[in-house]
Amino acid sequence: MKVELFLSPNSVDELHFTDRTVVVIDVLRATTSIISAMENGAGELIPVASIEFAMKMSNNLFGGKTLLAGERNGLKIDGFNLGNSPLEFTREVVNGKSIILFTTNGSKAIAKTKFSEQTMICSFTNISAVAELLLSTRKSVTLLCSGSQGLFSLEDTVCAGMLAEKLLQGEDEVNVSDSVKTALVLARKFGDNIGTMLKESEHGRYLMEKGFTDDLSYCAEVDRSSVVPIFLSNAIKAVTA
Ligand code: MLT
């Protein structure tokens, strides 16, 4: 099993994902919110790469079953039903609904993997379930951190390193790239206190300034979910481990 890692979507062409098993990580907060939505019964979630496309899609859907969700600069977009806080995607709000999601980095990173064989959505909240699913398929995997504005982000890289650690523990023959080795070092350094690492990260500090401190606590809850959302044919649906 080979494990490779891209620290930002900008460092890879979309064709690289063709027919691969991919894992996308955006701990703060897109992938954590998607896991929360799926855990709470959302029927499907469609990640999009622009606000205009999100609007256009929602105009073509009807029946009151579709919600528009997402953020710009961390805050809910005017005219959208929901922002991008995992705490907003409660069962009362999302059960049975289709959700169109636009976020600054995460939804774009997921949409970029549209040619993959399958893309798993990962965060600290479902990390063991993702590892279990990957180990059961035993296929080589490409990890993709959403990062921040095309750059590295600490929280996504630590999560990727923790996931790689679980794969190394679960399988004898794992061949990891240099970027995975780097992520493993960071996961070993910061993995024991995810809450503190998130609070000290750049985006974590920004979110706290905007009043989202409770989101950080939620995003730090390792393995609170056993749901693995899978992006396939342009939509995300849930698989329970
Ligand atoms: C993103 O995709 O950039 C985010 O998830 C930002 C956020 O909502 O905190």
Side-chain angles (χ1 to χ4, degrees):
M1 178 185 210
K2 280 192 187 156
V3 186
E4 63 174 3
L5 165 66
F6 293 96
L7 299 171
S8 139
N10 283 19
S11 44
V12 56
D13 187 87
E14 61 187 8
L15 290 179
H16 181 81
F17 301 114
T18 308
D19 297 335
R20 290 179 190 251
T21 295
V22 180
V23 174
V24 176
I25 299 168
D26 184 4
V27 171
L28 295 176
R29 297 165 292 176
T31 56
T32 310
S33 293
I34 293 169
I35 296 157
S36 167
M38 289 295 146
E39 176 87 49
N40 286 324
E44 64 173 358
L45 192 147
I46 300 157
V48 297
S50 75
I51 295 178
E52 294 65 36
F53 192 64
M55 296 289 212
K56 202 151 77 176
M57 274 198 82
S58 74
N59 288 339
N60 288 333
L61 298 168
F62 49 90
K65 283 198 163 178
T66 303
L67 297 173
L68 261 180
E71 57 71 39
R72 191 153 42 187
N73 299 323
L75 304 176
K76 183 160 93 75
I77 298 162
D78 279 349
F80 277 35
N81 308 95
L82 297 167
N84 186 34
S85 163
L87 298 170
E88 287 178 271
F89 294 80
T90 59
R91 185 159 290 275
E92 295 67 39
V93 175
V94 303
N95 193 24
K97 297 276 168 57
S98 293
I99 302 170
I100 300 168
L101 179 73
F102 167 82
T103 73
T104 313
N105 304 288
S107 70
K108 288 185 198 159
I110 298 165
K112 192 164 187 178
T113 71
K114 58 183 178 290
F115 299 127
S116 70
E117 183 179 274
Q118 60 172 342
T119 295
M120 300 179 193
I121 305 301
C122 179
S123 239
F124 290 116
T125 54
N126 73 343
I127 190 165
S128 292
V130 174
E132 224 174 277
L133 191 56
L134 287 170
L135 287 167
S136 71
T137 66
R138 306 185 74 179
K139 286 190 174 167
S140 289
V141 58
T142 300
L143 310 180
L144 175 63
C145 292
S146 300
S148 183
Q149 313 281 4
L151 300 173
F152 167 93
S153 81
L154 179 64
E155 65 278 9
D156 292 348
T157 311
V158 170
C159 188
M162 271 178 65
L163 179 61
E165 189 85 82
K166 288 177 187 297
L167 300 178
L168 284 164
Q169 283 162 2
E171 172 78 46
D172 290 339
E173 301 277 314
V174 182
N175 182 330
V176 301
S177 68
D178 284 357
S179 50
V180 173
K181 285 185 184 140
T182 310
L184 282 164
V185 172
L186 291 174
R188 287 167 193 157
K189 177 159 174 61
F190 293 105
D192 284 344
N193 201 337
I194 308 285
T196 305
M197 182 272 297
L198 292 183
K199 284 187 178 148
E200 289 175 356
S201 69
E202 279 177 26
H203 193 53
R205 280 185 279 135
Y206 175 79
L207 288 172
M208 286 196 295
E209 257 171 52
K210 295 288 171 197
F212 293 114
T213 305
D214 289 349
D215 282 12
L216 266 63
S217 308
Y218 184 100
C219 294
E221 282 183 46
V222 176
D223 287 339
R224 65 166 284 144
S225 177
S226 54
V227 166
V228 181
I230 306 271
F231 177 56
L232 201 65
S233 312
N234 293 318
I236 296 173
K237 298 207 168 135
V239 168
T240 302

